[in-house]
Amino acid sequence: MNITKENIDALNAVVKVDIVAEDYQAKVDKILSDYRKKADVPGFRKGHVPMGMIKKQYGQSIMVDEVNKLLQESLNKFLTEEKLDILGNPLPRVQDDFNWDAETFSFEFELGLAPEFDVDLKSKKKINQYNIVATEELLDEEVKNIQARYGKMSTLEEATEHSNVTGTFVNEEKGIEKKSTFLVNDLKGKKNEKKVIGAKVGDVIELETKKLFEDNNKLQHILGVSADEIKDLDIKVTLTVEEITKTEPADLDKELFDKLFADGSVSSVTELREKIKEDAEKQFLQQADQHLLNSVIEHLIENTKFDLPADFLKKWLATAGEKPLTAEEAAAEYEKSEKGLRYQLIEGKIMKDNDIKLDYAELVDYAKGFIRTQMAQFGNMNPEEKELDEIAGRILQNQEEAQKLQTQLISQKLLAFYKENMTFKTKELSYEEFVKEAYK
């Protein structure tokens, strides 16, 4: 057997594998001999069927199997020994004159080679790193929400500005018939408020959906329609009022604090606000970190220049999936996946150059932390270590779940690395300001 590589250019190569009869014949003969021992052919005693018959019936199919096994093994070994960093998989070249009746075979494979490049983490244009703070207004609003959630509800005869209205929204043409509850204050505009204020149980009110609420997500939930339908929904709906209530806010006292924090960690309004601020800013930090990571990824993709073997990758994408793609479909798929591939290469180089690794023990610990958080949401604050180990083991046996956790953990490690090795422009702002600026 002989394997050679010819470089077409810096990103493309062809590997040629020459296989002669001596490479596979002994293995084929042994398999045919085993077949002969087991063959049960009428007119012949078992084990005494002429070898010529066995070869005629099975010879070529066994030879093809063995050549293909040998080809795959030798190609993989060659790529490993030569330490070739390839993209996708080797693509066999079609040979119109190929003949399995020959004793020697030549196979050719196209390779797409990974580019060589450097990653510069220093940049004159600084990326924004947001520090999101919980404002006094946010804390006021959250305290009100807690008081409302734990408040006492009473029934009213007619709707007021601060009452809750429960009723059924109907539009026959759009197939809408949904019972929902809303706060009159949440209605947008005085015109809509005026229609509802003063209404009594049994009243039927006609409302227009356009700008009915400040938040379209609220309207979507109340009418029970899809996100696509809600975008340009401009119809009239009837609301049949079924219940009118008012919530008396709960007192900010020890009874409420103990309901919220059974461990006794909060005993005053000041401590409650501090706790709300701490919890809110933890969540804000997660969002700010995710935004920072996304910004770094975009920055590195944009500022790390290298070429890719585009033609090879398009050909590979055409054959890589379960269903073959046309040249046009493969080109479109390449356009969609090019950025992701570029960052994959950048990420791999950063991890290799900076010895950023992930071992199984770290993955288990990360999975256990994830499980611990989930269990805490259901009231199990102190799960046993043995239980966590068992659940983590089951999760990591699922390849898809394990890959998802691994990706998250690698992202965490890389974000920590970027924070240590890149310079950012820190900007402090409220959550509302963050949303407006970061998600323009």
Side-chain angles (χ1 to χ4, degrees):
M1 183 191 301
N2 187 40
I3 304 181
T4 56
K5 177 173 74 77
E6 179 189 352
N7 288 331
I8 307 301
D9 55 39
L11 298 171
N12 295 274
V14 174
V15 170
K16 185 178 180 184
V17 184
D18 294 322
I19 296 177
V20 297
E22 287 82 359
D23 297 323
Y24 61 82
Q25 196 60 57
K27 191 74 180 283
V28 170
D29 289 342
K30 184 180 182 307
I31 295 171
L32 287 171
S33 179
D34 290 342
Y35 268 47
R36 186 186 180 210
K37 290 174 187 175
K38 298 171 186 175
D40 193 359
V41 179
F44 298 94
R45 282 185 298 141
K46 195 170 185 178
H48 291 271
V49 179
M51 182 56 84
M53 287 184 66
I54 299 295
K55 281 184 178 180
K56 187 175 181 181
Q57 189 168 355
Y58 303 108
Q60 189 171 75
S61 64
I62 291 171
M63 183 267 291
V64 170
D65 283 346
E66 289 308 308
V67 169
N68 279 324
K69 283 181 193 173
L70 182 62
L71 177 63
Q72 198 61 53
E73 288 169 6
S74 56
L75 181 60
N76 290 340
K77 186 180 178 185
F78 177 79
L79 296 176
T80 303
E81 288 177 349
E82 294 292 312
K83 296 180 181 176
L84 293 177
D85 193 1
I86 66 170
L87 302 178
N89 292 316
L91 286 178
R93 279 186 169 176
V94 177
Q95 300 176 47
D96 295 331
D97 59 346
F98 188 84
N99 182 10
W100 280 111
D101 289 328
E103 286 193 347
T104 60
F105 309 101
S106 286
F107 301 92
E108 291 185 351
F109 294 87
E110 295 179 44
L111 303 182
L113 305 177
E116 292 185 6
F117 58 91
D118 293 316
V119 180
D120 184 8
L121 297 175
K122 309 300 177 187
S123 173
K124 290 180 181 178
K125 184 182 177 183
K126 299 291 183 284
I127 298 168
N128 283 333
Q129 182 178 14
Y130 294 108
N131 177 27
I132 311 171
V133 295
T135 61
E136 291 300 311
E137 291 79 12
L138 182 143
L139 300 181
D140 291 341
E141 190 63 34
E142 189 54 33
V143 169
K144 282 181 186 176
N145 289 339
I146 290 171
Q147 287 182 279
R149 202 154 59 239
Y150 289 89
K152 293 177 182 176
M153 194 172 286
S154 57
T155 303
L156 300 179
E157 287 190 8
E158 63 178 48
T160 67
E161 186 181 352
H162 301 290
S163 63
N164 304 300
V165 173
T166 300
T168 300
F169 290 84
V170 175
N171 179 289
E172 291 183 5
E173 184 184 346
K174 293 288 185 180
I176 295 171
E177 186 173 350
K178 178 84 176 350
K179 183 174 179 177
S180 298
T181 300
F182 63 92
L183 183 63
V184 175
N185 260 349
D186 286 341
L187 291 168
K188 185 175 183 181
K190 295 293 181 185
K191 181 182 174 184
N192 289 323
E193 274 195 10
K194 193 179 281 187
K195 286 184 178 183
V196 177
I197 292 173
K200 297 180 179 180
V201 172
D203 286 355
V204 178
I205 304 165
E206 187 174 80
L207 298 166
E208 294 181 6
T209 59
K210 190 174 184 181
K211 298 182 180 177
L212 183 58
F213 291 95
E214 291 283 354
D215 184 359
N216 252 6
N217 291 329
K218 187 180 286 291
L219 180 61
Q220 180 189 344
H221 173 71
I222 282 172
L223 297 184
V225 297
S226 70
D228 288 334
E229 287 178 285
I230 207 69
K231 283 178 186 173
D232 302 306
L233 193 65
D234 187 6
I235 59 172
K236 291 180 179 179
V237 291
T238 60
L239 166 65
T240 303
V241 179
E242 297 171 25
E243 187 180 18
I244 305 166
T245 59
K246 184 179 180 182
T247 304
E248 294 294 338
D251 292 330
L252 294 169
D253 55 16
K254 188 175 186 305
E255 183 183 348
L256 177 61
F257 300 148
D258 289 346
K259 281 180 184 175
L260 293 168
F261 306 97
D263 60 359
S265 59
V266 171
S267 58
S268 67
V269 175
T270 301
E271 288 176 354
L272 174 63
R273 292 173 73 88
E274 286 172 356
K275 186 71 174 171
I276 293 170
K277 181 179 175 66
E278 180 188 337
D279 291 345
E281 290 182 353
K282 276 182 186 174
Q283 292 182 34
F284 294 160
L285 179 60
Q286 290 177 3
Q287 292 189 54
D289 276 350
Q290 186 58 57
H291 183 272
L292 179 62
L293 180 60
N294 292 344
S295 298
V296 171
I297 289 170
E298 288 293 330
H299 171 83
L300 291 175
I301 291 170
E302 189 177 329
N303 292 280
T304 308
K305 304 298 183 185
F306 54 82
D307 292 326
L308 290 169
D311 291 339
F312 168 84
L313 289 169
K314 288 172 190 175
K315 280 197 279 186
W316 173 68
L317 284 169
T319 60
E322 291 181 13
K323 181 184 172 186
L325 302 179
T326 64
E328 291 76 16
E329 289 171 336
E333 187 63 31
Y334 175 75
E335 290 298 319
K336 283 193 292 182
S337 59
E338 184 186 355
K339 268 192 173 184
L341 175 58
R342 286 183 177 276
Y343 182 65
Q344 220 176 355
L345 291 169
I346 294 167
E347 180 185 89
K349 181 164 180 60
I350 289 171
M351 291 182 72
K352 182 181 178 183
D353 289 352
N354 297 280
D355 200 29
I356 300 171
K357 294 175 181 173
L358 178 64
D359 60 38
Y360 186 72
E362 285 181 294
L363 189 57
V364 171
D365 284 343
Y366 182 74
K368 284 161 69 174
F370 176 77
I371 297 159
R372 204 177 271 114
T373 303
Q374 296 289 310
M375 294 176 87
Q377 291 177 5
F378 292 94
N380 187 351
M381 307 303 291
N382 295 298
E384 291 185 7
E385 202 66 25
K386 183 181 176 184
E387 184 181 13
L388 290 171
D389 285 331
E390 288 174 355
I391 298 171
R394 287 200 299 272
I395 289 174
L396 294 176
Q397 282 176 2
N398 181 316
Q399 193 172 352
E400 191 175 328
E401 288 298 319
Q403 183 61 47
K404 195 188 299 181
L405 291 171
Q406 183 173 313
T407 300
Q408 291 171 4
L409 184 50
I410 287 173
S411 292
Q412 279 191 11
K413 281 176 166 270
L414 284 168
L415 180 60
F417 173 80
Y418 296 144
K419 283 183 175 182
E420 286 178 15
N421 293 276
M422 296 179 74
T423 307
F424 302 109
K425 180 182 176 183
T426 304
K427 197 167 185 181
E428 186 171 285
L429 69 187
S430 70
Y431 182 70
E432 289 74 16
E433 291 167 334
F434 167 73
V435 171
K436 283 179 185 176
E437 183 167 326
Y439 302 107
K440 295 170 187 175

